[in-house]
Amino acid sequence: MRRRLGQVLCSTLLLLTAGNARLAAIENEPAANSTALGAGTNVSCSQRATPVEPADPSADSSVTATISHKFIASQRFRENTSPAAEVKISWLGATFVRRFAVKIEDDTNDVAFQIHVLNKASSDNQLIAELHDRYETRLADVWCFLKLQANGEDGALQTNAVPNIFFVRDAAGELGAVDTIWGGAGWEIGASPVRGQREWPSGSHVISR
C-alpha cells in the first residue's frame, strides 16, 4: 500500500512540475501583435483646392470670393478616363455619389498625414479606435492624393488593387469610409458606413492625420 501511495505521489509531483514549466514558458512567449495598424509613415500633400469659376459671371463679387475658397466635390469627382481628365476616374460608387459628391468643404492649409498598413483584416471601428483623434480626413485631402497620382503613378497611395482608406464626413456630417483603388483604366472610388462588421483586408492602407 505504501509503495502504491508513493507512486501516486510521485506521478502527481511530475504532473505539477510539468504544468508549472508550461505556464512559465507561456509567460515568457512574446505577446501576439494585437494592433491592426502598422507604424505610420509621414507624408504631405501640398495640392490646394483649385479656385472655382462662378457659373454665373454676373454673380455678386462677395459670393464669388466665398465660393472660390471652397472645395466643391461635384466639380472634382467625375467619371472620366480621357487624356484630358484632371484625375482619371473610372468608377464612382452610388453611395459615394449620393453622400459625398454633393459635399462642399472649406479650403484649409496643407496638413501632414500618416499612412498605415494593415497588419490584419480589420473593421472600421477597430481602425478608428487605434487612430484615436487622428482618424478624420476630408474629401479635399482624398482629391489631393489622387491629383498627385492622376494616372496611376507610384506615390503615397498604392496602385495594386488593394484599398486606400480615408475616414471622411459626408454632406450630412455622418462619418463614412471612402476607399480608392486603382483599377487600371482609372481610380475606382467607393464609400460605406463605418458601422457593421465589414473588414478591410490585410495590406490595405489607411490615411490619417
Side-chain angles (χ1 to χ4, degrees):
M1 177 65 71
R2 290 182 179 179
R3 185 174 182 179
R4 182 178 298 175
L5 181 59
Q7 290 175 338
V8 171
L9 290 173
C10 183
S11 299
T12 302
L13 287 173
L14 287 173
L15 289 172
L16 289 173
T17 301
N20 289 335
R22 176 58 182 160
L23 287 174
I26 292 174
E27 290 176 355
N28 291 327
E29 287 178 357
N33 185 8
S34 59
T35 60
L37 296 170
T41 301
N42 293 326
V43 295
S44 61
C45 199
S46 59
Q47 294 276 359
R48 294 175 64 85
T50 305
V52 177
E53 296 295 332
D56 180 4
S58 64
D60 181 81
S61 59
S62 62
V63 174
T64 302
T66 301
I67 293 176
S68 68
H69 293 286
K70 300 288 186 179
F71 178 84
I72 303 176
S74 62
Q75 296 187 3
R76 298 288 177 251
F77 292 96
R78 297 175 175 176
E79 292 182 2
N80 185 356
T81 58
S82 72
E86 190 173 10
V87 172
K88 285 188 176 180
I89 297 176
S90 57
W91 180 81
L92 293 173
T95 300
F96 179 86
V97 172
R98 184 178 70 255
R99 291 180 52 186
F100 292 89
V102 295
K103 189 179 182 185
I104 298 176
E105 296 176 336
D106 291 328
D107 189 13
T108 60
N109 294 329
D110 302 330
V111 296
F113 299 90
Q114 287 194 323
I115 293 187
H116 307 262
V117 181
L118 264 64
N119 295 318
K120 59 182 181 179
S122 307
S123 68
D124 293 320
N125 289 329
Q126 287 175 290
L127 301 178
I128 290 171
E130 287 193 29
L131 291 169
H132 302 293
D133 60 349
R134 298 179 291 108
Y135 62 85
E136 190 171 332
T137 55
R138 304 173 307 134
L139 280 181
D141 301 329
V142 179
W143 181 256
C144 180
F145 280 99
L146 292 176
K147 186 74 178 296
L148 295 177
Q149 296 174 248
N151 301 297
E153 302 90 341
D154 290 337
L157 301 181
Q158 55 187 349
T159 56
N160 56 355
V162 179
N164 304 282
I165 306 161
F166 299 79
F167 292 110
V168 183
R169 294 196 181 276
D170 64 11
E174 184 178 350
L175 188 67
V178 173
D179 63 286
T180 67
I181 296 176
W182 177 254
W187 288 98
E188 300 175 2
I189 304 171
S192 57
V194 297
R195 57 184 178 275
Q197 298 302 313
R198 171 183 176 174
E199 291 190 337
W200 299 101
S202 174
S204 298
H205 282 191
V206 178
I207 294 84
S208 71
R209 293 187 175 231

